Every structure is written in C-alpha cells, then in structure tokens.
Amino acid sequence: MNQNQHDSDAQVMRLYEQLVEIEQRLIPTGLHVFGRPSELKEKADLLRMVASFDRPEHSVRALPGLVAEALGIDGYDALLQEAAASETKDLIDSIVLEAVRQFCQEGTDSAVELLNSRANVDCEKSLPVFLMLGNIAAQLDSNNEIESLLRALRGEYIEPGPGADIVQNPGVLPTGRNTHAVNPYAVPSQMAFARAKLTADALLRRHFEEHGRYPRALALVLWGLDNIKTQGEGVAQALHLLGVRPVRDALNRATEIEIIPLEDLNRPRIDVVMTVSGIFRDLFAPTMALLDKAVRRVAALDEPFEMNYVRRNVSEKIDLDGEEFDDAVTRVFSNAPGSYGTNVNFMVMQSEWETGDSLGDLFVTRKCFAYTCDSKGRTIEGREARDLMDHALSQVEATYQNIDSFEVGITDVDHYFEYLGGISKAVEKRAQARPAIYLSDSLSPQAKIRSLEETIRLETRAKTLNPKWYEGMLNHGFRGVAEIENHVANTFGWSATADAVDPWIYTDIAKTFLLDSAMLNRLQELNPHSLRSLIKRLLEAHDRGFWNPDEEILERLRDIVGDPENQPEEVA
Ligand code: BEZ
Ligand code: MG
C-alpha cells in the first residue's frame, strides 16, 4: 500500500468514527413536559445507557460486557477505552440495542431469550439486568410530579430522593420528589475517584499529545449540581491532577488527603486553579477546605520542580514578588459570599461588550474571592484576592470542565460559556496566550476528552442542525423556536468568549432555519420574536467578525428582519 492510499484510508476511518460518534450521541428529542411520563423511544435510549454500566450496588453487570464475555471477546474494557470504532464494538452495540428494544416491546423473558440465542449470554446473568430495567421502566411510567407539586403547595411533606442523572443513579426515580443534595463529607465517593482517574489521565494525555508536555497549570470549573450528580467526579479529577487521594477519618468523612508518591504517579503534579460556582460554595464548604488542603500539602512537598508544578509556581511567586506562602498557594476561588454567577452570559446575551478582554475581566471581578485558610488553620471564606487570581491564571495553559450529562450540553444553556468561556478569556489576557480548552464526556463508559472546538461541532451536528432534535423541539410550538434560538445564542457565546465556532456552523444554521422558506414560515408562525432574535444574533456574529458569509446570505437575513411582513406584532 503506498503512502497516499494509507493516508486516505486513515482519513476515511476518521470520518467513519466521527459519523458513528454523532449517530450514537444520545440527545433529548423534546422538552420534558411537567407531569407527563417519557415515551417508549426515549425510554429505550435511556435504558440502554443505564444498562451500559456495571451496577455493583444491584449486583448487575453491564450488558455490553456480558455480551462481549459470552462471545469470547477478551479485553473488552480495554477496547472500550480505545478511541477507534471497530466492528467488534459495533457488533456488541447492535446486540445490546436489539435486546433493549425487545425488552421495551416484549418484556423481560423475551429479552433474556434473545440475548441467549443471539450471543449465548447466560440467562442467569442477564436476568438481573432486565429486572433492574423493569423497575426503572415502571418508575419512568409513574409520574407524580403534578400530585407532588399540589401536595407541596398544600404544605405537605414531600419524600426526598437523591439528586443525580438517571444514568448515573437510577435511584433518582420516581421524579416528583424533593431532591436532597449530598453529604459533602462523602465527596468524592470511591466510584467517583476511580472514574476521575481515567478522565484526568485522558486529559493530560491529550494535552501531552497536542503540546508535547503537560500543562504547567490548569484552570478547572467546578459546579455544585454536577458534583452532586456524580458524587464529586470534578473534585476527584482535581485531586488526581494534583497527585493526591482523599482519606476518610474515623467518622468516614473525606477530610484528609494522602500524597500519591511520584513513583506511582509517573508524571508531574499539575497545578490547578479552581473556580467554583456559588452553588458549589454553598453546598460543599468541607470539600473546598479539602481541595485547599491538597494544594497546600502538594506545594510544601520536597520534590523537584519538574515533577511538582504546584511547588514550582508557588516558589517562583514567593521568590519573585516576596509573596507569603499562604497567599502564593491560594487556588480555590468563587464569588463573594451571597453572590452567584459571572454575569458574562448577561453581557453576551445583551450584546453589551466591546472586547473579549472585558468578558474575562468581568469573570475575574466576580470570581476572585479566595476560600482558603492560613498557616494556623484559620478559615478564610471569601476574601477578595484579585491579584492572587490574576497571577494564578497567568500560569495557566489549559482550561477544563467535566460534562456529566447528555441532557445539558455546552450549547443548551448559557452557563458553560459564562464559566469555561469566561475563565478561558481571563487566562488569555493574563497568560498572554489562548489556553487549550478541553471538556470531558464523563458520561460515556469511555472517558473521552474533546477540545472545545470538537465539542461545539459535535453538539451542533447532534442537536442544533439535527432534524431529530429541532423537530422534537418544534413539536412544542413557540417554546421550541425559543430553544433553537437559545442554542444559536449559546453557540455565539463560544465565539464571544473563545472564538471557537467554525464559520460553517453559522452558515448551516442560516441555511437550515432561514434560507429554507418553508422552515422560515413555520418559525415565523410559531414565534416571530425568537426568530428575529436568532437572525439578529447571526448578524451580530458577522458584525463582530466571527462569520463572513456571502453577501447574498447577509442581504437575505437583513431583508427578513427589515420586512414589515416579518415584524412581530406589538402587544398593546
Ligand atoms: C451549579 O450547579 O453550580 C451551577 C448550576 C447552574 C449554573 C451554574 C452553576
Ligand atoms: Mg436564555
């Protein structure tokens, strides 16, 4: 085979893998309607995801693992961690899909039989999986949301349930309960710590492959709800990057840390700058103390600079600026007590910003409150420390956030760009270089890391431009158009904060929703206000230099917003 042939084969393979990735991406195909149970199709997708993880707490094995074992395929776990698509993976996935469909249509016995005849899976092994799925399916059908709301309004007691994603913890069902959070002392759980190792290693590997070295420092975004859902996967990732593990005290509380020796770590300890949301701050005070303690312990280790980036950065700061150790080691930042959010999203949505730097500065203004303690162990909760945050960010070479849900992705809400985009912009000015920006996909069994640009492409193809997604939204009438407009605005947020949106994305949005006259008319009928905002956002993308389409397209968009036929009626 000559080199050309080889290259084009590799290209076709990459293309194939990307197609499979888009095809298999689980997406919500409509909004949740309060009080309405999910439909069969939605249920089948969810159950398949639930069944792709081992559930030791229910003595249940993952279906793909069972099928692989029954087919005599060795090393399935390793295969799963490989990025490449393969016929073996396809075969296993198709059998699992078929079995779950059979289960939804014909029930447990029939699905157990199918797996036995198709893949020789022992009935005793698959039965517990389908019994568990049966319970989950029944709970998905029983919907107490309206009843519970009415009871809550009458001041009655509402049973509590854990806060999580159904796939992470099916125990969240049935819905319509009072979500109780989490015991912060239980975070991170052992499972979260084990999973976080895979993700943190994949993140560092990806950076190494792209940049030839590990990042000198990494800025991490931590959210409250996410760490509730995952029992602290984000927290555990931060600990792994630092090269430490949590240790439980006599009351089983994660209040201590233990250093992982460099011989076991096999890589340098990474400096991590953590910005936590207001919700995280309110829920996880002991966890913030744990993270702060971890950084302090690592900074004080007697290790060579090239293996301990925390110590290197802290020592440099002390030597250069005569900073005290307590200040130089500050790495956990959040809003001022009682304050929430970055406001970066509001500036972007209202088009009230001039330069990207102003967005990064706003992020720091809102988030530069240090949560730490001094050398005597006295807690400091929310001391304004702008200089310290500026300096910590000036060392950062990569920014990162863990994504743990298929339902809410980076173009579904404006919070991802306000946080990850905001911090990336802040780093860009302070480090005088745009950081590498990464996201994980910790929901998939394969701990996958993607660049921001890759994630935006994937989300756009799987959602915004996918007829399954937008038709699902349009079934909800005016609200669906508002959702589409939201996606476009959130996509634009990634241009504003990270210049990370390929121009073809805006062009394809215009073609799909505006240049197709039948679609344009539908949107106009359903929700002229959101339609107008959508077009104005595309024109703003052009005005700010993020998109440079053919003049014809621009003219057409300007015509539509200027056309008296398309003006929303004023409400008297
Ligand atoms: C949080 O859970 O911390 C969070 C939720 C929504 C937006 C930002 C943060
Ligand atoms: Mg909005």
Side-chain angles (χ1 to χ4, degrees), residues 454-502:
E454 287 165 353
T455 314
I456 293 171
R457 276 179 221 128
L458 179 59
E459 285 278 299
T460 302
R461 289 186 169 121
K463 290 183 181 162
T464 320
L465 294 174
N466 180 354
K468 267 193 202 162
W469 181 84
Y470 63 72
E471 289 298 344
M473 290 297 154
L474 289 175
N475 285 338
H476 297 275
F478 86 97
R479 184 63 232 169
V481 188
E483 285 298 320
I484 295 170
E485 188 267 320
N486 257 340
H487 269 245
V488 177
N490 296 330
T491 304
F492 173 83
W494 290 114
S495 284
T497 54
D499 202 358
V501 184
D502 300 341

Side-chain angles (χ1 to χ4, degrees), residues 76-148:
Y76 178 68
D77 285 345
L79 187 72
L80 207 57
Q81 293 309 321
E82 280 169 21
S86 73
E87 280 177 21
T88 315
K89 265 196 230 173
D90 285 355
L91 172 70
I92 295 171
D93 287 346
S94 69
I95 296 173
V96 169
L97 182 67
E98 209 184 320
V100 173
R101 280 196 187 139
Q102 187 78 5
F103 166 78
C104 286
Q105 272 150 18
E106 306 290 335
T108 300
D109 293 345
S110 173
V112 168
E113 265 168 43
L114 181 135
L115 273 188
N116 184 262
S117 63
R118 286 279 275 115
N120 212 14
V121 178
D122 226 332
C123 299
E124 276 132 62
K125 287 187 181 163
S126 67
L127 183 64
V129 185
F130 290 106
L131 291 177
M132 175 187 76
L133 294 187
N135 283 333
I136 295 173
Q139 286 180 325
L140 281 169
D141 282 341
S142 76
N143 185 305
N144 302 327
E145 291 164 7
I146 290 179
E147 172 61 18
S148 296

Side-chain angles (χ1 to χ4, degrees), residues 223-226 277 279-280 415 419:
W223 284 356
L225 298 178
D226 292 28
S277 71
I279 300 180
F280 187 108
H415 300 303
Y419 273 84

Side-chain angles (χ1 to χ4, degrees), residues 10 65 83 143 244 318 334 391 402 415 439 445 569:
N143 185 305
V244 303
I318 293 171
S334 187
H391 180 77
N402 188 45
H415 300 303
L439 294 126
E569 279 168 44

Side-chain angles (χ1 to χ4, degrees), residues 524 527-530 532 561 563-571:
Q524 171 69 21
N527 185 340
H529 290 277
S530 291
R532 218 177 143 71
V561 266
D563 186 345
E565 278 280 298
N566 290 319
Q567 305 306 313
E569 279 168 44
E570 287 301 325
V571 180

Side-chain angles (χ1 to χ4, degrees), residues 205-220:
R205 203 163 47 239
R206 170 87 196 235
H207 190 278
F208 198 97
E209 279 163 11
E210 284 184 338
H211 303 274
R213 60 196 167 79
Y214 297 113
R216 162 207 269 272
L218 215 146
L220 211 90

Side-chain angles (χ1 to χ4, degrees), residues 263-514:
E263 307 85 86
D264 297 341
L265 201 59
N266 266 323
R267 59 157 171 88
R269 303 184 194 281
I270 309 299
D271 193 355
V272 276
V273 185
M274 292 157 271
T275 34
V276 318
S277 71
I279 300 180
F280 187 108
R281 173 205 56 208
D282 294 350
L283 294 171
F284 288 106
T287 317
M288 287 168 81
L290 185 77
L291 291 166
D292 180 61
K293 185 184 274 184
V295 179
R296 287 167 169 274
R297 287 278 308 281
V298 168
L301 290 172
D302 184 12
E303 289 174 343
F305 283 169
E306 68 275 14
M307 292 307 283
N308 184 331
Y309 296 174
V310 187
R311 175 166 180 253
R312 179 174 71 185
N313 291 342
V314 169
S315 302
E316 257 179 36
K317 179 71 179 155
I318 293 171
D319 292 349
L320 278 178
D321 298 340
E323 194 86 69
E324 298 284 327
F325 177 83
D326 280 345
D327 287 336
V329 79
T330 304
R331 292 290 182 276
V332 184
F333 297 94
S334 187
N335 297 79
S339 146
Y340 301 83
T342 72
N343 291 355
V344 168
N345 45 341
F346 301 133
M347 293 262 280
V348 171
M349 290 304 175
Q350 289 158 23
S351 307
E352 280 173 9
W353 56 285
E354 282 183 10
T355 62
D357 280 351
S358 63
L359 298 175
D361 290 344
L362 176 62
F363 181 91
V364 175
T365 302
R366 298 281 298 172
K367 286 281 169 190
C368 66
F369 294 80
Y371 289 75
T372 178
C373 69
D374 64 18
S375 297
K376 298 202 174 76
R378 286 176 297 217
T379 323
I380 296 166
E381 287 194 339
R383 174 168 59 99
E384 187 165 3
R386 192 175 182 108
D387 288 352
L388 298 183
M389 187 172 190
D390 279 342
H391 180 77
L393 293 181
S394 74
Q395 310 290 309
V396 166
E397 295 182 314
T399 58
Y400 165 73
Q401 185 163 0
N402 188 45
I403 306 266
D404 54 43
S405 153
F406 69 89
E407 279 178 304
V408 184
I410 64 166
T411 55
D412 288 297
V413 292
D414 53 8
H415 300 303
Y416 284 106
F417 80 75
E418 82 164 300
Y419 273 84
L420 185 63
I423 201 169
S424 300
K425 245 329 169 215
V427 167
E428 186 173 332
K429 175 170 157 188
R430 286 152 187 80
Q432 295 181 8
R434 183 183 186 276
I437 311 175
Y438 298 114
L439 294 126
S440 61
D441 188 348
S442 81
L443 192 73
S444 63
Q446 176 194 58
K448 181 132 193 174
I449 298 294
R450 296 189 183 90
S451 70
L452 173 61
E453 290 79 357
E454 287 165 353
T455 314
I456 293 171
R457 276 179 221 128
L458 179 59
E459 285 278 299
T460 302
R461 289 186 169 121
K463 290 183 181 162
T464 320
L465 294 174
N466 180 354
K468 267 193 202 162
W469 181 84
Y470 63 72
E471 289 298 344
M473 290 297 154
L474 289 175
N475 285 338
H476 297 275
F478 86 97
R479 184 63 232 169
V481 188
E483 285 298 320
I484 295 170
E485 188 267 320
N486 257 340
H487 269 245
V488 177
N490 296 330
T491 304
F492 173 83
W494 290 114
S495 284
T497 54
D499 202 358
V501 184
D502 300 341
W504 68 258
I505 290 180
Y506 292 119
T507 305
D508 279 18
I509 287 170
K511 285 185 180 158
T512 306
F513 298 109
L514 309 170

